[in-house]
Each structure stands twice: as C-alpha cells, then as structure tokens.
Amino acid sequence: MTTWLDYLSLVVTLSIISALVYGGYVAMKAISGAVQSTKDSLKTKGVDVSKNGVSVKTNKRYDREDYLDATQRGFIKAMKASSGGNQAGQELERDSSVKSKSKGHHHLRSRRPDVVEK
C-alpha cells in the first residue's frame, strides 16, 4: 500500500528533475544568445563566422605584386632573425666579440687561423 510519504517523494523527485531540465534549457538559451550576439558584433566589424569557417572582409584588394612584396618582407625578416642570414662581415665581428669575452676557449665555427678547431 502506498502512503502519503511515497506520493511526497514522487512529487519531490519529479520537481527536482523538471527543475534540472528547465535550468539546462535556460542555460542553453543564454549561451546560444551570447554566441549569436557575438557573431553579430563580429559581423559588423567585418568578420563572418559560420559552420564552414571564418571569412574576413577587407577594404583593400591585394594584387600579385602586393602579395610578393609582403612575402619577400617576411622572408627577409626571417633571414635576419636566423644565424644563417649573417653577412660575412657580421660573422667576424661576432666571433671577435665572443673571443674577447671567452679568453682562450676554442670556437668550432671560427675561420681564423689562430684558433684551433677541435
């Protein structure tokens, strides 16, 4: 036989489950609204976000020459940042400054005859 306590437990359990479902629905709507408002604000700035990816609207059209100039600038910056991009005179200056600081240590990369290579 069921008592009033069983009915009360059923009502409490169902109300907790329904509250969790409703809370999940409200949270989903809030997150969806925030995502949509962010997409709209980005779209006004020229960034279009869709399920296929992101597209950026620019005011300037780049032709082949602009693309090549930008690529060459990037390549030159990378060469200057690397050790292989040093000019012949820069390498000697660097080696002499290292030798004056190291006092007697031998350098493998030195091309001067007074330094013995190991």
Side-chain angles (χ1 to χ4, degrees), residues 18-61:
S18 62
L20 288 175
V21 169
Y22 180 73
Y25 175 76
V26 169
M28 183 187 69
K29 290 292 264 184
I31 291 172
S32 176
V35 167
Q36 189 61 38
S37 69
T38 303
K39 282 184 181 181
D40 291 341
S41 68
L42 286 174
K43 196 167 196 171
T44 60
K45 294 178 182 178
V47 179
D48 187 22
V49 180
S50 68
K51 65 180 178 179
N52 296 329
V54 178
S55 63
V56 180
K57 183 178 102 178
T58 61
N59 295 331
K60 185 177 179 182
R61 301 274 311 174

Side-chain angles (χ1 to χ4, degrees), residues 93-104 107 112:
E93 292 171 4
R94 184 187 58 152
D95 285 344
S96 64
S97 67
V98 169
K99 182 171 180 166
S100 66
K101 292 178 185 174
S102 65
K103 293 190 179 184
H107 299 284
R112 295 181 303 206

Side-chain angles (χ1 to χ4, degrees), residues 3-4 10 12-13 17 21 24 29-30 37 39 41 54 60-61 74 78-79 86-87 91-93 109 116-117:
T3 63
W4 65 272
L10 177 67
V12 169
T13 304
I17 291 173
V21 169
K29 290 292 264 184
S37 69
K39 282 184 181 181
S41 68
V54 178
K60 185 177 179 182
R61 301 274 311 174
M79 285 298 292
N86 292 334
Q87 301 294 326
E91 185 177 2
L92 290 177
E93 292 171 4
R109 300 187 75 193
V116 178
E117 294 184 9

Side-chain angles (χ1 to χ4, degrees), residues 62-83:
Y62 288 105
D63 58 357
R64 180 172 165 73
E65 186 175 333
D66 292 329
Y67 172 74
L68 289 175
D69 288 343
T71 303
Q72 288 172 353
R73 278 193 306 271
F75 183 72
I76 296 298
K77 285 181 184 178
M79 285 298 292
K80 286 182 180 179
S82 71
S83 62

